[in-house]
Amino acid sequence: MKKTLAFVGIGQMGGGMAAHLTRAGYALTGYDPSAHSRELAAKEGVKVVASLKDALQGAEVVLTSLPNPAIALDAWLSEDGILAHMAQGAIGIELSSIDPETMCAIAAEAAKRGVRMVDAPVSGGPLEAAAGQLVLMTGGKPEDIEAVGDILDCLSSSRHLTGDVGTGKTVKLVNNMMSMGNIVVAAEAFALGTAAGVEPRTLFDVLSQSGGRSHHFLKRFPKAIEGDYAPGFKIELGEKDVALGIELGRRLAQPTPAASVVREMIAVGMAGGRKGQDIVAMLDYYQTMSQPSGKSLGKPSSKPDTDKK
C-alpha cells in the first residue's frame, strides 16, 4: 500500500512534485504559507490545507521543498514545526537546495524524535518536477532511502546514492556552482559575439553544436535571445546556491575563486535590475553593459513570475 504523504512547500517546484505524486495515486496533503501557492497547487489537483498541523495529520512521509536554509530550519525545528507533529518511525524527505550543515542539523534533531531523514535535493526545473523527470541526489542510510524508494522513483528519471545525510546537499551545491558558472560565462561570451555583429540565432545555432555548449545553454538561451526572461529559475536563487557553495568552501578551507567571481557577477546583474527574472537574464545584463541606451537585443519579458522553490 502506498504511504500517506504530506508535502510542505508547494511553490513552483514543490507544487509540481506534489501534483505528480497525487496523479500517481498517493494520498497527499499539501501546505504552503502562501495562499497563492496553495491555490495554484489545488488547481493541479493537490489536496491543500491552510495549516501545517493539518497537513501533517496522519502523514507517514513528509516531503519539503523550501527556498533557503533559514526557512528550512524554521519549518522543521521550530516549536510548532514539522518535527513537533511527526510520529516516531515516520520519514522525512528534504528536497531543498540548502547547505549540508543545515541538513545534518535537521537530521540530528529528527533522530532524537525517532524520525528518519532522507537528504534528496533535485536537479531539474518545473517541467521536470511536474513530469516526474527530476534527477535526485540521495544521502542517508540505504535502508531509509529504500523505504521511500517508490516515492523517489515516482519523482525522478534517475536517482543516485551520494553517501550519508548531507552529501546530497553537497553534490547539489557543486552542481549548481557549475551550472551558474556555465550560464554566466556563456552570457558573457554570447554578448561578445553579438556585439561583434553575429546574428543571435546564427550564433546560437553554431554554438549549440560546438564544444562550448552546456545543458543550460541549450535549455535557456533560445528563450533569452527572444528577450524572454520569465523565471523558471530565478537569478536570486542562483546567487543563493553559489553563495552556499562558497561558504561550504570557506568552512573546509577549500578555495573557490572562480565561483566567487560568478557570485559577484550574478549580484551585479541583480543590482542592475534583473532580480525576479530567470538566471539567463545575465545575457540581457551583459548586452546592455556596452549600450549607452541601455537596450539589449530583446525586449524584457512581460510574463508573470511563476517561480517558487
Side-chain angles (χ1 to χ4, degrees):
M1 297 233 358
K2 292 181 176 178
K3 296 179 176 65
T4 301
L5 313 182
F7 207 116
V8 179
I10 49 173
Q12 192 174 23
M13 287 296 292
M17 287 185 268
H20 182 72
L21 288 166
T22 299
R23 289 191 293 268
Y26 286 91
L28 181 148
T29 304
Y31 168 74
D32 196 288
S34 165
H36 179 65
S37 292
R38 296 197 302 270
E39 180 182 352
L40 291 177
K43 289 180 179 179
E44 294 300 319
V46 179
K47 175 188 175 184
V48 300
V49 292
S51 79
L52 177 63
K53 184 177 180 180
D54 289 343
L56 298 172
Q57 188 70 34
E60 300 168 273
V61 178
V62 177
L63 302 94
T64 55
S65 180
L66 302 165
N68 59 53
I71 290 175
L73 278 174
D74 184 67
W76 281 98
L77 304 186
S78 64
E79 184 177 350
D80 198 35
I82 295 169
L83 288 178
H85 299 288
M86 287 182 72
Q88 287 194 3
I91 301 177
I93 303 176
E94 217 304 308
L95 301 151
S96 314
S97 296
I98 58 177
D99 60 285
E101 188 174 54
T102 297
M103 181 68 241
C104 290
I106 293 170
E109 186 59 33
K112 294 177 185 178
R113 304 183 187 216
V115 172
R116 296 175 286 169
M117 289 298 302
V118 173
D119 170 14
V122 308
S123 179
L127 292 177
E128 291 82 6
Q133 294 294 308
L134 296 165
V135 175
L136 266 61
M137 309 152 202
T138 55
K141 295 179 180 179
E143 60 268 28
D144 294 341
I145 294 171
E146 287 310 307
V148 292
D150 59 320
I151 299 168
L152 301 176
D153 286 339
C154 185
L155 293 173
S156 65
S157 58
S158 66
R159 59 181 171 100
H160 307 272
L161 180 61
T162 57
D164 295 334
V165 165
T167 60
K169 304 303 186 198
T170 297
V171 175
K172 171 62 175 176
L173 293 184
V174 170
N175 174 76
N176 278 26
M177 286 173 67
M178 293 171 64
S179 298
M180 298 306 104
N182 289 342
I183 290 171
V184 170
V185 172
E188 187 171 296
F190 201 92
L192 175 61
T194 57
V198 182
E199 193 276 325
R201 175 56 64 177
T202 299
L203 183 59
F204 176 81
D205 288 344
V206 176
L207 294 179
S208 66
Q209 300 297 317
S210 302
R213 69 188 186 276
S214 68
H215 170 78
H216 279 284
F217 180 75
L218 298 176
K219 181 177 181 178
R220 297 186 181 279
F221 274 69
K223 288 186 177 181
I225 61 179
E226 299 298 327
D228 180 359
Y229 303 110
F233 184 69
K234 282 185 182 180
I235 191 170
E236 50 264 46
L237 292 177
E239 189 277 336
K240 180 264 294 184
D241 287 352
V242 178
L244 288 174
I246 293 167
E247 182 57 33
L248 177 61
R250 291 181 63 189
R251 291 200 296 271
L252 298 174
Q254 176 66 42
T256 55
S260 297
V261 173
V262 168
R263 194 215 71 83
E264 289 298 328
M265 286 309 305
I266 296 174
V268 170
M270 290 167 58
R274 277 70 185 179
K275 190 172 182 180
Q277 296 181 336
D278 191 88
I279 182 65
V280 82
M282 286 301 299
L283 174 60
D284 184 62
Y285 176 73
Y286 271 106
Q287 287 174 334
T288 58
M289 286 176 70
S290 61
Q291 302 296 323
S293 65
K295 294 181 179 179
S296 67
L297 297 180
K299 297 178 181 179
S301 172
S302 60
K303 292 185 178 182
D305 176 4
T306 57
D307 186 46
K308 173 85 181 292
K309 185 175 177 184

